[in-house]
């Protein structure tokens, strides 16, 4: 596995950012949920809802902002770090 570079938490989800991907886990059930193959990404908020990636495979080497949202909590405020 790749070395974790950043983490973000939004109960019950733990997001672990590495140089190769973003891994998302459910901390209550200790289950891996999803891998997002976005290299060199990092959270811009403490809950990981806004992220930045500079993956060379994405958008011809331009930085890209993206938003991870939850269907069960669409109205939560963003916590910018």
């Amino acid at each position: 596995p790749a070395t974790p570079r950043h983490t973000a938490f939004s109960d019950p989800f733990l997001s672990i950012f590495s140089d190769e991907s973003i891994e998302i886990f459910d901390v209550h059930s200790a289950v891996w949920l999803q891998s997002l193959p976005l290299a060199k990404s990092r959270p811009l908020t403490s809950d990981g809802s806004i992220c930045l990636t500079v993956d060379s495979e994405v958008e011809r080497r331009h930085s890209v902002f993206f938003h991870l949202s939850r269907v069960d909590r669409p109205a939560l405020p963003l916590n910018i770090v």
Side-chain angles (χ1 to χ4, degrees), residues 3 7 9 13 16 21 23 26 37-38 41-42 60 71 75 80:
T3 302
T7 59
F9 181 73
F13 304 110
I16 299 178
S21 65
E23 305 294 331
D26 182 324
L38 294 169
S41 298
R42 66 184 184 104
R60 298 187 197 129
V71 175
I80 306 291

Side-chain angles (χ1 to χ4, degrees), residues 3-58:
T3 302
R5 300 291 182 199
H6 306 280
T7 59
F9 181 73
S10 178
D11 191 28
F13 304 110
L14 173 65
S15 301
I16 299 178
F17 297 77
S18 71
D19 287 339
E20 299 171 7
S21 65
I22 303 169
E23 305 294 331
I24 302 174
F25 298 88
D26 182 324
V27 297
H28 296 292
S29 63
V31 172
W32 164 82
L33 299 173
Q34 184 174 13
S35 292
L36 302 172
L38 294 169
K40 299 179 182 173
S41 298
R42 66 184 184 104
L44 296 179
T45 58
S46 60
D47 63 0
S49 61
I50 297 179
C51 306
L52 173 70
T53 185
V54 288
D55 188 333
S56 61
E57 298 296 319
V58 177

